[in-house]
Amino acid sequence: MSVNPDYLKEEREQEWRVVLRSQKKNKERTDLVRVHMTEVDPKIRVQSNIEVNQGLSEDDAVNEAQRCLDCPNPTCITGCPVEINIPKFIKNIERREFLEAAKVLKQTSTLPAVCGRVCPQEKQCEAQCFYTLKLKKEPVAIGYLERFAADYEQKSGKMAVPEVAPAKGIKIAIIGSGPAGLTFAGEMCKRGYDVWVFEALHEIGGVLKYGIPEFRLPNSIVDVEIDILKKMGVHFETNFVVGKTATIDDLKDEGFKGFFVGSGAGLPRFMNIPGENYIGILSSNEYLTRINLMDAANPNTDTPIISGKNVAVIGGGNTAMDSVRTAKRLGAERAMIIYRRSIEEMPARVEEIKHAQEEGIEFINLANPLEYYADEKGRVKQMKVQRMELGEPDSSGRRRPVPVEGSEYLIDVDTVVVSVGVSPNPLIPSSLPDLKMTRWQTIEVDDDKLQSSIPYIFAGGDIVRGGATVILAMGDGRKAAASMDNYIQNISK
Amino acid sequence: MNKIVKKEFFSENVVRLVIEAPRIAKARKAGHFVIIKCGETGERIPLTIAAADKDKGTIDLVIQRVGVTSRKITELEEGDYITDLVGPLGQATHVEKVGTVLACGGGVGVAPLLPIVEAMKMAGNRVVTILAARSKDLIILEDQMRQFSDELIIMTDDGSYGQKGLVTDGMESVIKNEKVDLSVVIGPAVMMKYASMVTKKYDIPTMASLNTIMVDGTGMCGACRVTVGGKVKFVCVDGPEFDAHQVDFDEMLLRLSGYKDIEKEAENKYISNKCKSR
Ligand SMILES: Cc1cc2nc3c(=O)[nH]c(=O)nc-3n(C[C@H](O)[C@H](O)[C@H](O)COP(=O)(O)OP(=O)(O)OC[C@H]3O[C@@H](n4cnc5c(N)ncnc54)[C@H](O)[C@@H]3O)c2cc1C
Ligand SMILES: Cc1cc2nc3c(=O)[nH]c(=O)nc-3n(C[C@H](O)[C@H](O)[C@H](O)COP(=O)(O)OP(=O)(O)OC[C@H]3O[C@@H](n4cnc5c(N)ncnc54)[C@H](O)[C@@H]3O)c2cc1C
Ligand code: SF4
Ligand code: SF4
Ligand code: FES
């Protein structure tokens, strides 16, 4: 997918944009300072699940939108995996056409309210903004503005339900209701297909619901989008494990013509070090699922959670940050991140690291767990970590951590959350022996069409990429919908 | 939502529910289980599919009250609905004709054993079944088991029914009398540990069906992990059945007790709230 430069130019030459540009000199625009998002005070926010970022006011959003130079060559767009027409939506905010801005977002992104919150903007759109590249200044707050426009639309009560083409009477099945599956569902529904989403869990939303916590992405934001899909006519079947409850072949016999696998990378990895199965050591998936999906921290639910006073979270990604900040909110006195590289190498979003620091999370960097020790009841009580130092860059370009001999020491812990990565979910592949897989156990697909080795099966999101991002999963959903539509039209000719 | 079409008490604390679940009834095989959740605030717990009727589209669950969730489920009545039910999960039992199968069930482990006994019999094996419990009123599914067993032995700790003794005593006496080719043991973790020590002594291949704590049941959380042959396995997707001689039962026993205190507290709270509201 590539945006057509002529089209961008044409849009940029629309009269309202020309007028808007002429209202302020570029110098005036670049002199403005980047907006600050209102955040709940760290001391208060760690006592509840309240969303940390409170969003922008209308005036703040308009001011920030004025910073955007409406560049003739908007490099920001190249940083966005789904190539949102960034200046177009921002300029609509500047002229206070907020619903119009939301519409621009919706043309390419199904879940802008989600992406505005969770995209790693500092590595994507904002990294390619003219301000970052040429002016060496803070980039336009594209993510905040995206969230603003999407929230405005949600709150306006004027959520547009996309138009749906006349029913084709062709049934399509989607496996998994994460961002990839939801996006695909919306796109196929618009094209007039009879769309069914099968989800293994009892809730729709994938990682957006069971993984990312309420204080970063409220469930209500996701639910609004799911409601729209329902209104469009998408059918949701929860508690349905494809490959178990029914196989793809069974569903094919029931008349489904195409399948999209968006089953994610839900399998937790452990480190396989001594003592890792002691009580109190759990995967971040288990920890976050208990809290987010099962609401275990609420005394009125039946699911229990153990969360101690000294909590160590192993890892440096978003999942680790989410776990450690959750631990703090559950009352940990010491909530620690233990990561084998330095803070600069952490894959987590920069904003989450900053928020975690404000909340009093302890960062123990350049340290790696070696072993756990338990009390007589088998409950973890201590861990041995080894100091690391950074050596030569490895294949990922990051400097490789090397153990420092003789630097081992003990840390008291009563809960450990292991957050060292996930692997692709094997449920679908194991029920389809003919499906071609890569050596990383992801589904092999054609890069352009996202079609698998079985022609009527398409796939996208984490099951194809390994652990990636929400926006990439959504982009895949869109792309796969276009190519499945093509495929089905061709075979039915 | 799945409707309960029949409810029957096997003993004071053990209930059989027949539940409408046509897809699961069709897809399930011996050894499979479901995850069920009761009410919006309920927890997810695993239960074995004890039997199924493809034509009627129903599955049977046999549930023993041990804590809040199992209690809530046993308090449901005919016509009520289960909020969430998903399955069939896990790997099906590997069933083949091996000769003589010694099937041992302890406590509520008898429920998951039933479909395996049935499948083993259908595959042409001679099946000797031992049912063990603390006392007579805790013996369940005796008639159903008898139907698929060539021989049925009942053991009670207190001797109130069948022979007096532990399941291991019954096993020893069978093994001394005839050649056993395969043993299946299902019950509380302690029972499986000692039962598999017996068969190990006689070199009899043995499988155990593990009842670890689970959350999702689809391989996503790792709550159910156990060590088998030195490797970490997830019971919900790799199991629930494993080579009993390779299972680290001591670790499993510890892990099972992980939430004991919280669960006990929760149950007491649930019971006292109920009493108050009456
Ligand atoms: C804690 C956490 C924090 C994260 N933070 C960020 C962030 O800040 N920014 C960001 O961009 N990304 C983040 N990510 C990554 C991002 O969430 C994922 O890349 C994205 O959700 C992948 O989407 P998906 O649709 O491929 O799969 P998922 O969201 O994983 O959804 C897959 C769904 O498929 C279901 N499923 C699996 N197998 C079957 C089956 N056989 N039958 C039926 N259903 C099935 C699963 O239950 C699940 O609901 C985070 C991930 C985690 C875990
Ligand atoms: C694959 C599988 C199949 C199962 N099949 C059945 C079945 O057919 N019928 C049935 O009655 N039960 C079965 N179980 C066990 C059942 O899931 C547990 O009894 C149930 O989760 C207890 O929930 P609770 O809230 O009622 O009790 P809790 O409050 O969670 O626990 C109460 C007490 O039981 C102990 N306990 C908790 N979970 C287990 C467990 N998994 N095994 C043993 N003790 C436990 C706790 O330590 C505590 O002391 C199965 C378990 C697995 C993993
Ligand atoms: S979707 Fe993500 S990367 Fe694209 S513009 Fe929005 S915040 Fe930036
Ligand atoms: S690069 Fe930055 S300033 Fe230029 S259009 Fe994009 S957001 Fe606006
Ligand atoms: S129950 Fe979650 S992985 Fe097995």
Side-chain angles (χ1 to χ4, degrees):
Chain A
M1 218 191 322
S2 176
V3 267
N4 181 340
D6 293 337
Y7 168 73
L8 281 182
K9 199 167 154 209
E10 196 183 302
E11 296 248 315
R12 189 171 177 271
E13 291 316 320
Q14 298 237 333
E15 200 186 325
W16 68 271
R17 288 209 15 209
V18 177
V19 171
L20 211 55
R21 273 199 300 279
S22 69
Q23 281 173 359
K24 254 191 169 51
K25 293 207 183 64
N26 274 358
K27 176 79 173 67
E28 285 174 77
R29 295 184 187 272
T30 56
D31 279 348
L32 296 169
V33 285
R34 181 175 154 123
V35 68
H36 271 279
M37 175 75 84
T38 320
E39 295 165 359
V40 181
D41 184 89
K43 288 199 199 62
I44 294 172
R45 71 188 188 226
V46 295
Q47 296 179 18
S48 73
N49 254 332
I50 184 166
E51 192 179 7
V52 173
N53 280 338
Q54 291 286 295
L56 300 181
S57 67
E58 290 184 15
D59 288 345
D60 278 351
V62 170
N63 286 342
E64 181 63 20
Q66 288 176 355
R67 289 182 72 224
C68 169
L69 302 172
D70 200 1
C71 303
N73 172 23
T75 42
C76 51
I77 298 182
T78 61
C80 171
V82 296
E83 299 179 315
I84 286 183
N85 190 339
I86 294 170
K88 185 176 175 190
F89 100 79
I90 293 185
K91 290 299 123 179
N92 268 303
I93 295 180
E94 184 176 342
R95 65 162 176 165
R96 292 186 176 267
E97 289 291 344
F98 305 136
L99 288 174
E100 202 51 40
K103 221 190 240 168
V104 177
L105 293 168
K106 282 277 171 80
Q107 277 165 8
T108 27
S109 162
T110 328
L111 309 166
V114 175
C115 295
R117 286 173 167 82
V118 306
C119 260
Q121 289 97 6
E122 72 276 2
K123 292 190 193 117
Q124 299 182 353
C125 51
E126 295 183 13
Q128 302 302 322
C129 173
F130 185 75
Y131 279 77
T132 319
L133 294 179
K134 294 281 152 49
L135 303 179
K136 306 291 169 212
K137 283 191 175 176
E138 282 198 292
V140 174
I142 302 171
Y144 291 173
L145 290 173
E146 179 165 334
R147 169 186 165 165
F148 167 79
D151 282 3
Y152 183 89
E153 192 200 15
Q154 283 204 355
K155 275 183 240 147
S156 71
K158 293 191 195 110
M159 287 285 281
V161 178
E163 255 178 64
V164 172
K168 285 184 163 43
I170 300 176
K171 284 209 292 188
I172 299 296
I174 294 159
I175 298 139
S177 66
L182 292 179
T183 304
F184 183 89
E187 293 295 318
M188 289 306 266
C189 200
K190 278 191 216 161
R191 291 176 166 86
Y193 290 93
D194 185 10
V195 176
W196 292 72
V197 179
F198 298 97
E199 168 56 52
L201 295 172
H202 59 269
E203 278 264 3
I204 300 294
V207 170
L208 305 181
K209 282 282 181 63
Y210 77 71
I212 305 180
E214 208 51 25
F215 58 80
R216 206 148 72 79
L217 175 64
N219 282 346
S220 56
I221 298 286
V222 184
D223 284 331
V224 171
E225 304 295 341
I226 294 170
D227 273 350
I228 297 265
L229 290 174
K230 285 184 182 157
K231 282 193 189 131
M232 286 167 69
V234 175
H235 307 275
F236 288 99
E237 291 257 335
T238 50
N239 297 315
F240 196 118
V241 185
V242 177
K244 291 283 185 186
T245 312
T247 60
I248 286 191
D249 284 345
D250 295 335
L251 293 172
K252 211 161 162 266
D253 291 344
E254 290 174 27
F256 285 93
K257 293 285 183 266
F259 296 82
F260 176 75
V261 184
S263 54
L267 223 63
R269 272 190 222 136
F270 287 92
M271 294 175 68
N272 298 315
I273 56 176
E276 210 174 21
N277 288 347
Y278 285 136
I279 301 167
I281 304 181
L282 22 79
S283 73
S284 49
N285 273 4
E286 180 182 351
Y287 193 66
L288 293 171
T289 301
R290 281 181 185 269
I291 302 292
N292 298 333
L293 183 72
M294 307 309 298
D295 198 11
N298 174 348
N300 297 321
T301 63
D302 297 340
T303 305
I305 181 81
I306 293 179
S307 198
K309 297 282 168 233
N310 295 308
V311 184
V313 175
I314 321 299
N318 283 320
T319 316
M321 263 350 111
D322 286 344
S323 302
V324 79
R325 295 172 68 199
T326 296
K328 189 80 194 178
R329 283 160 175 76
L330 292 179
E333 283 158 14
R334 253 188 114 179
M336 300 165 263
I337 280 282
I338 299 193
Y339 180 56
R340 61 200 182 112
R341 305 181 199 241
S342 66
I343 243 177
E344 287 73 43
E345 280 92 14
M346 282 194 171
R349 291 180 79 226
V350 168
E351 190 177 39
E352 305 323 322
I353 298 175
K354 175 183 149 256
H355 285 165
Q357 285 168 327
E358 291 165 2
E359 288 163 12
I361 304 301
E362 232 176 286
F363 283 73
I364 302 181
N365 284 96
L366 292 166
N368 200 36
L370 292 182
E371 185 170 358
Y372 298 101
Y373 304 96
D375 64 15
E376 68 287 352
K377 284 182 169 164
R379 274 177 206 285
V380 65
K381 60 169 192 194
Q382 275 183 326
M383 65 192 287
K384 181 156 83 186
V385 300
Q386 183 171 40
R387 287 253 150 244
M388 310 292 273
E389 57 191 15
L390 291 180
E392 295 300 307
D394 64 12
S395 57
S396 72
R398 296 182 299 178
R399 292 176 65 193
R400 187 195 303 272
V402 212
V404 179
E405 290 307 323
S407 66
E408 298 86 356
Y409 67 107
L410 295 173
I411 302 177
D412 287 342
V413 287
D414 45 24
T415 303
V416 176
V417 181
V418 184
S419 186
V420 294
V422 285
S423 309
N425 192 313
L427 278 167
I428 292 295
S430 66
S431 70
L432 285 171
D434 294 341
L435 189 65
K436 251 206 205 143
M437 306 297 291
T438 67
R439 65 194 162 96
W440 299 277
Q441 297 312 307
T442 53
I443 298 180
E444 195 174 298
V445 292
D446 168 305
D447 277 351
D448 293 327
K449 301 203 198 95
L450 299 181
Q451 193 168 23
S452 75
S453 60
I454 302 175
Y456 53 83
I457 302 181
F458 293 69
D462 282 2
I463 187 69
V464 166
R465 299 170 178 271
T469 59
V470 172
I471 186 72
L472 286 169
M474 283 180 25
D476 287 354
R478 259 183 98 76
K479 203 159 148 187
S483 65
M484 187 190 286
D485 183 31
N486 246 327
Y487 164 79
I488 288 183
Q489 291 194 12
N490 277 332
I491 56 166
S492 44
K493 259 181 207 154
Chain B
M1 297 280 258
N2 303 70
K3 189 172 170 181
I4 298 175
V5 292
K6 195 167 172 354
K7 176 181 181 180
E8 176 186 359
F9 277 90
F10 280 152
S11 73
E12 195 194 333
N13 286 317
V14 181
V15 167
R16 166 173 167 252
L17 295 179
V18 182
I19 300 168
E20 268 175 12
R23 281 202 186 264
I24 302 176
K26 200 167 141 219
R28 78 100 207 190
K29 294 201 170 66
H32 279 147
F33 65 95
V34 292
I35 293 257
I36 115 174
K37 176 172 159 284
C38 239
E40 283 314 311
T41 57
E43 73 181 322
R44 296 169 65 102
I45 67 159
L47 295 168
T48 307
I49 305 169
D53 187 327
K54 268 187 206 163
D55 301 330
K56 294 203 181 104
T58 58
I59 58 169
D60 288 19
L61 303 179
V62 178
I63 304 125
Q64 179 180 36
R65 265 184 209 172
V66 294
V68 174
T69 304
S70 47
R71 181 175 286 274
K72 278 190 181 169
I73 295 168
T74 55
E75 283 167 0
L76 293 173
E77 299 299 339
E78 285 174 12
D80 286 350
Y81 285 83
I82 308 264
T83 319
D84 293 285
L85 175 72
V86 58
L89 299 171
Q91 301 295 328
T93 309
H94 178 76
V95 179
E96 64 176 331
K97 185 166 179 202
V98 290
T100 299
V101 177
L102 175 59
C104 314
V108 80
V110 174
L113 189 63
L114 179 65
I116 298 174
V117 164
E118 178 182 351
M120 288 296 179
K121 180 72 201 164
M122 294 306 177
N125 293 293
R126 170 177 157 78
V127 182
V128 180
T129 303
I130 304 178
L131 300 185
R134 259 176 290 133
S135 60
K136 180 177 179 190
D137 48 333
L138 297 175
I139 294 285
I140 57 166
L141 294 173
E142 183 186 340
D143 294 341
Q144 290 89 331
M145 282 290 184
R146 204 175 289 282
Q147 203 186 326
F148 302 111
S149 309
D150 295 276
E151 203 182 324
L152 183 83
I153 299 164
I154 296 200
M155 306 290 304
T156 49
D157 295 5
D158 61 2
S160 54
Y161 192 43
Q163 301 173 33
K164 183 170 160 52
L166 299 173
V167 72
T168 43
D169 301 330
M171 292 172 77
E172 293 265 6
S173 66
V174 173
I175 294 167
K176 284 196 178 119
N177 270 327
E178 63 181 304
K179 179 171 173 292
V180 173
D181 300 288
L182 174 74
S183 181
V184 184
V185 300
I186 311 184
V190 198
M191 170 241 164
M192 289 192 276
K193 174 183 167 180
Y194 285 101
S196 63
M197 280 159 69
V198 172
T199 56
K200 176 123 198 193
K201 194 166 72 185
Y202 296 100
D203 247 343
I204 299 167
T206 301
M207 58 193 209
S209 178
L210 306 185
N211 50 359
T212 50
I213 292 172
M214 292 189 178
V215 182
D216 60 300
T218 63
M220 191 188 85
C221 74
C224 61
R225 64 195 194 275
V226 289
T227 306
V228 182
K231 289 216 175 71
V232 174
K233 298 277 177 191
F234 287 7
V235 173
C236 66
V237 284
D238 301 323
E241 280 156 27
F242 294 96
D243 175 350
H245 297 153
Q246 302 286 326
V247 174
D248 184 342
F249 281 108
D250 293 326
E251 177 188 275
M252 181 181 153
L253 275 162
L254 276 181
R255 286 185 60 78
L256 269 176
S257 69
Y259 293 90
K260 214 174 205 145
D261 302 343
I262 313 185
E263 298 283 18
K264 196 70 222 164
E265 206 178 295
E267 190 180 15
N268 290 340
K269 190 170 129 196
Y270 176 71
I271 295 171
S272 70
N273 279 348
K274 253 185 47 162
C275 297
K276 269 185 238 146
S277 65
R278 277 209 177 136

